[in-house]
Amino acid sequence: MGAKYDVGHYNAQLKVYLDSEHKFSATDFLANMEAKDIQPNRVTYQHLVMAYCQQGDIEGARKVLEFMKTKDFPITEAVFNALITGHGRAGDMENAKGILDVMRNTGVEPSLDTYTALLCAFAEHGDIEAIEEFISELEKTETSLMDSDYLQLVYSLATHGHSQYIPKFLEKIRHDQGYVQDAIATTSQLIIAECDDAAFEVLLTLPPVGNAGEEGSTGDPNNGYFFIRNMVYHQRPIDTLAKFCDQLQERGIHTVPLQFALKCALEDNNAEYAYSIVKVLKEKNLPVRAHYFWPLLASCQLDSDLEGVTAILRTMQELEVSADADTYSKYLVPLISESTDLLTKFQELGLTVGPEEILALVRWEIQNNRLDVASALLKEHGGENILFEAYKMSLVEAFINKQQDPEAFAELLDIVYKSQQLGRSEENDPVGYFLYNLLEEMQGGMARRREGTFLELLASLKNKGVQIPVNIVKGMDKLIKRNNYSPDVFDAAVGLADAPLRDRWQPDEGMPQPDEGGEVQLDMMEPESINQIESQLRVARTKGLTRRAIHLLRMLVKANCLQDNVERALELKKEVESLGELLYAINYPSLIEALCKEGKVQEAWEANQELNRNYPSFVMDGWKYCCLVQLLAEKGRLQDALDTIDEMKSKGVQSDFRLQNNFFQVLHSLAEKGDLESTRALFDKAMELGLVRPTNNLASHLVTPFLLKDDLEGAWSAIKDCEEKYRIMPRLHDLLCAYIEKGDTDSLQTAMDYISNSKGEMNMLYDLVFAFLSKGKHKEARKIIETPGMRALDSRLNWFANLCIQNNMEEALEQLVIQTKKLFSSDRDTMYTYLLQYYDQQQNGEKAAHVWTMMQEEDFLPQDTTLRYIASIIQRSGQPLPADFPDWIAVQQDSSTSSSDGSSESDDDDEKKQAVYWKLRVRARPRQAQTPVQTQGVQQRTQEVQTASETPQDPALIAAIKKACIDQDTEAVNAAVAQAEAQGVPLSFSILSKCIMTNLSKGNLEEAENIKKRMLEKDPGITLTSGNIRNKFVITYALKGRSQDALKMMEEMVSDGLAPNKIAAKTLMYSMASKGDVEGVQQVAQHLERLNTLRDSVPEYLVDSHLFNAYLKSDQVEAACDLLESRMSESESRMRVVIALGDLIQDQKGDALDKVSATVEKIARFFNRYEPVVDLFLAYVDRNKVEEARHQLQRFPAIEEQMDMLVGHAVFCSQRKDADTINRLIDILPSPNHRQPMFFFLLRCHYEKDDVDACWATYQRMQSEGVELDELSQKRLATILKKHGREAPFEEPPESFNFYKKKLDQTRLEALS
């Protein structure tokens, strides 16, 4: 492939050998390097020492060490650790222990890794006494082994036949941070080493995160699924697998371990192993479903392997697993569809033909317009054995979407009617409900187009003597009226009724009607609406229309509730009840809310009880329940409030951000009144039931009552309780401020010790700094900030800065900016921006001008946007800019204002603006005198330019080149450039730049480089000053896989002071990350940082995302997990990893995925950051891992609440026209409210692909799920239907697409505000 290897590649290969304990010849390895003319380095020799020691070859290791000494290579701790292992494996334990003294004598202090190496050497010999003695000595020196060290010890014991001692050391596990990942890795290594029992013992040490016995749980994946997956992947004996699966189930770790094992085997395409698991399942009388075999069938179908599909189906029959119709329809029938007689083909393949097989064939024939064949199959094989519901919708779709013969339809339905005559009833009438469903699906223009065919079908059915229940005819009557069918359709339907139709369905004329949900679409907030209803009520009573009068009374109840006329609403309610009727279910929520506003607790409680008795399945929205809970608690009826929360859970009230906010209001009201008992009880109940998430804001109400009573001890106890239960510490800052204000140093010290243990020392120090600053203790704050090792945590600093701005804490904010001046890694521009925001809020231009002085004293150059912000604040306050303020900022502001009127600018305009910009930058800086050599060079260059400009040119040729560039015609461009070169016609720098850009835009990198080469040959002193050209080169190099060339171009840009744009930086980082080039991604980030004041902002989280991907691609999984955890736990990072995780899933790196999954779960559970969990869920969806995605959603229901991320992914999929992923997302999400926005992007996706059938199918599905089209979607659907000669079922919105896009954007913005 032409790749050139260097010493780094060989070192990496050595590292792989060491990690896998692969035996190899060091001599041959060095000889191979020498043959390639590659010199080993220090790392190479260190690895070779370790390799010799792994094999117990101390003599070989000694030779390498002697050579290293001649080269003056340092002997590192890692080498000493390897020597301990080597002496141990050589059986020389005395020298192994002696290495510790050698290390100390050479100035290398032994670390935990060294001690662990010695303990593992003891373990390999089974010397338990030596291990315990050495651990005891370490404990005397206050040195404690980490959990990971004990796991290494366990691995050594297990792999050398001393497993009986393992429990003794597993008892010492403390479950330190990161233990889950370490335990998973050790378990996998033990399974690879065939130490299954030891692996299972390690598995049992994992902390339980969930109870597998709970409803809806499928077991804890940290404690089960990775173990089973590894057992299956390495094909451990079936008996062993079954034994461990039984134990997992008995211990409640996994509810369906054998089924999951079968799933893993099938996904790995390991058929024989899967069949063995099926036999075990059968022996245990556990169900085996046909769809378990779909992965095997799918792999055969992709290769059109009919023999393979047939073999699997026959094996299923042998295993007594009945394939269902879906299995045949998906995987077998499409492969034999060319056969003229599918039934005979089934029999030729050796498959038993039964009802499921016939059903699959019937569906296929219906879908392919062969109703006569479908009818023959039903008639021959008994239609009564084939469930009509299983192919009913295929018939409906065939009738609507295909030109069908009504007589053929009637023939098939007649067979169904006669075959199921005995079991036919009003509740189960297949033909009747088919006709009803058909009318439901045919709406709008479709109804009018199919009316004639439908009439013919009804007539044919009548001629055949088919009858349907009269109640179904009544239901059809509603649909007939709703869709404006002709009276002939109703008459034809009546002709099929099995009894006379006494009266037709009639809507109440002149009155608004309830929709499908029972709501009356009437603006009841307007007073005239009540007057209108009361007027209609008087008319109804005069005419003696009792039913209409009751309906109007119910409407009046809701209307008065919405206007807070509670007494009138209660009077009307009594009047309805006096007539022996009940209110509508939709009346009660409004009534309960109105009663709660009036403080009528008993009436509100009784109304809710009535609702539950009369309409037990009706569910109010969360706000109504919260109003009732709050009122009950305020009135001292705490138990009733708790019962209401139980009711919310039992009725499935949706747990989302709205309920979170509503519950916040409830707790806030109670906490401000000092009602601690009610606040605590309601919070605990809601948390116990999972209705709300634990956040600092929500839990702050548990602390507030104590602070209001000045009970600091009680507040501290409440905070500790929250930390122990939910890993949050609400109102901690307020408590620390109170301690400082009271001078309670003992309590403050106690709190600091606790915070240090729970949140880490760094966070504890920041908490103390912020408290001191808030209380004016600036000297104390400074001492802490100057603590050695203190570094900037952006998330903490940003939080306190915002707190100062919100609470007008000017002095504290100023001190924060001043004191963090020398803090390591402090973002000074951001700090000053917060101070400017405060001064802007106070309209204090004088203080803003002082900020500029502070920056100069600090010798800090702010970003241009910050300087413009300073100028804006000063000018808006009516003050002049400081005399030393850069004048180019004001010029730039004026030019930006004047240029904003233009709609677009060319690349030349961008280059001109950049040139002006740099001139202004130079003007703002002190001038430096030019040397005589520089002056001479400038004069010479000026003369060359003048000479070139005087050379005669060919106007026609140049015009042709310009036109070709505009048309993006690279062939014409390159031909014209070649012609100009052949004729000696000089081309200007501007023309050649356009030619380069045109070639790069089309990906013609070679031609662009040739033109650039000609430019440099003609004038060696010339440089590409255009940022656009260089950015384009970076992008094209990256896309072509030439990352190093792209990096070199970027380095040249940075050296010349040109800023790479966001697209160039992103493309290059993505290219490098895809190859696992961690160092390359870091170099790009460093270049961007160098131009921090000039570059088009590339967010830090974007760099982190690419770095995470690079770590995974280079198999540095631990580094990737550490990066993800640190970013999510210490900052407000918006780091996204969905693409990287998708690649990991696609590459089938199971062990790496297990480790990342464990980290993702830890971040969600301990830091309440759900972005990585959602990314993993979306990655499973992207890669069509539906079962894994469902499993992820079951374990983390909060995924559904992250609608911004889910909708954002749907937008991304629609942009790349990936309808399949959006469809999977819709199918997986259980809540209709969460699925609803996805449909709009699915429709958009099909619209962009000009797929009219898919658009129509999406619209039908939206209708069936009650999703209403917005105006933009209506416009899209109407446009594509019209384009393909179809009629829209609604009136096309009259305005343009842009009009509805802007309207929709405005609506979303208003909703967010």
Side-chain angles (χ1 to χ4, degrees), residues 744-754:
D744 189 351
T745 55
D746 292 338
S747 297
L748 183 63
Q749 184 60 51
T750 301
M752 290 301 100
D753 292 340
Y754 185 86

Side-chain angles (χ1 to χ4, degrees), residues 832 835-836 839-840 843-857 867 869-875 877 879-885:
Y832 278 116
L835 193 56
L836 289 170
Y839 292 147
D840 188 13
Q843 299 180 357
N844 194 332
E846 184 178 349
K847 287 286 187 72
H850 180 64
V851 171
W852 167 242
T853 305
M854 292 170 62
M855 290 177 172
Q856 290 176 297
E857 291 174 352
L867 286 172
Y869 191 24
I870 296 174
S872 173
I873 297 171
I874 296 173
Q875 290 173 343
S877 66
Q879 298 182 20
L881 292 174
D884 57 350
F885 200 77

Side-chain angles (χ1 to χ4, degrees), residues 133-152:
E133 182 180 346
F134 191 74
I135 292 176
S136 178
E137 291 177 7
L138 290 177
E139 290 174 348
K140 291 176 183 177
T141 61
E142 297 184 354
T143 302
S144 299
L145 294 178
M146 304 292 288
D147 286 348
S148 56
D149 303 326
Y150 282 116
L151 288 174
Q152 289 185 47

Side-chain angles (χ1 to χ4, degrees), residues 58-178:
I58 293 298
E59 187 61 32
R62 185 176 290 115
K63 290 179 181 178
V64 178
L65 284 172
E66 290 174 356
F67 184 80
M68 290 177 69
K69 289 179 181 178
T70 63
K71 292 284 188 178
D72 290 330
F73 288 153
I75 309 301
T76 63
E77 179 196 334
V79 174
F80 282 117
N81 296 347
L83 288 172
I84 291 174
T85 301
H87 281 296
R89 292 189 175 175
D92 186 1
M93 291 307 300
E94 287 302 319
N95 275 324
K97 289 185 285 186
I99 295 293
L100 298 180
D101 295 329
V102 174
M103 292 178 69
R104 295 188 181 100
N105 292 336
T106 56
V108 179
E109 189 65 28
S111 69
L112 278 178
D113 291 337
T114 309
Y115 299 140
T116 304
L118 182 56
L119 288 170
C120 288
F122 287 136
E124 291 179 3
H125 291 278
D127 192 349
I128 300 303
E129 292 181 1
I131 294 174
E132 292 178 337
E133 182 180 346
F134 191 74
I135 292 176
S136 178
E137 291 177 7
L138 290 177
E139 290 174 348
K140 291 176 183 177
T141 61
E142 297 184 354
T143 302
S144 299
L145 294 178
M146 304 292 288
D147 286 348
S148 56
D149 303 326
Y150 282 116
L151 288 174
Q152 289 185 47
L153 187 58
V154 166
Y155 180 79
S156 297
L157 288 169
T159 52
H160 288 80
H162 309 296
S163 298
Q164 69 271 22
Y165 302 118
I166 288 176
K168 181 179 296 187
F169 297 103
L170 288 180
E171 292 173 357
K172 298 178 180 291
I173 296 294
R174 297 189 303 269
H175 297 96
D176 295 331
Q177 188 174 11

Side-chain angles (χ1 to χ4, degrees), residues 509-609:
E509 297 183 7
M511 286 301 301
Q513 294 303 310
D515 60 16
E516 293 179 359
E519 285 283 359
V520 178
Q521 301 302 321
L522 184 67
D523 186 4
M524 295 184 179
M525 295 302 293
E526 297 295 331
E528 55 266 30
S529 295
I530 292 181
N531 295 335
Q532 178 186 359
I533 298 172
E534 288 181 339
S535 175
Q536 292 288 335
L537 178 60
R538 288 192 293 271
V539 173
R541 284 173 171 167
T542 301
K543 294 182 176 180
L545 301 175
T546 306
R547 299 303 305 168
R548 182 181 295 185
I550 294 172
H551 173 66
L552 292 168
L553 285 170
R554 291 163 171 158
M555 293 175 65
L556 274 175
V557 171
K558 182 173 182 178
N560 280 281
C561 288
L562 293 174
Q563 287 198 5
D564 296 332
N565 299 330
V566 180
E567 296 300 334
R568 176 62 177 155
L570 290 174
E571 292 174 6
L572 292 166
K573 176 176 177 290
K574 289 179 181 178
E575 187 174 349
V576 172
E577 292 170 348
S578 67
L579 296 172
E581 297 289 340
L582 300 174
L583 292 180
Y584 288 139
I586 58 172
N587 293 140
Y588 283 98
S590 302
L591 178 61
I592 291 171
E593 183 180 11
L595 290 168
C596 289
K597 287 181 182 178
E598 295 292 322
K600 296 180 179 294
V601 62
Q602 185 59 32
E603 291 85 345
W605 173 255
E606 290 175 355
N608 186 50
Q609 296 301 306

Side-chain angles (χ1 to χ4, degrees), residues 660 683 686-687 690-699 722 725-728 1164-1165 1167-1168 1170:
Q660 188 91 4
F683 179 86
M687 287 300 304
L691 289 173
V692 294
R693 292 183 295 107
T695 64
N696 276 313
N697 278 344
L698 197 64
C722 288
K725 288 182 178 178
Y726 312 116
R727 304 284 294 180
I728 56 177
R1165 295 194 182 279
F1167 303 112
N1168 289 322
Y1170 287 92

Side-chain angles (χ1 to χ4, degrees), residues 399 413 426 429-443 447 450-451 453-459 461-462 466-498 501 503-507:
F399 188 92
L413 291 172
E426 185 175 316
D429 188 86
V431 177
Y433 281 106
F434 167 76
L435 296 174
Y436 182 85
N437 293 143
L438 197 54
L439 280 175
E440 273 188 318
E441 294 294 328
M442 295 191 303
Q443 298 181 10
R450 288 282 184 265
E451 182 177 314
T453 310
F454 188 64
L455 276 170
E456 292 181 35
L457 172 61
L458 295 179
L461 289 173
K462 184 178 181 180
V466 174
Q467 290 186 327
I468 60 177
V470 67
N471 283 337
I472 294 181
V473 175
K474 290 181 180 179
M476 293 171 64
D477 189 19
K478 292 183 183 181
L479 299 175
I480 290 168
K481 285 186 169 64
R482 184 179 299 169
N483 292 302
N484 297 319
Y485 282 96
S486 68
D488 294 340
V489 177
F490 173 71
D491 295 338
V494 171
L496 296 177
D498 59 2
L501 187 66
D503 54 347
R504 294 190 64 179
W505 174 79
Q506 294 288 348

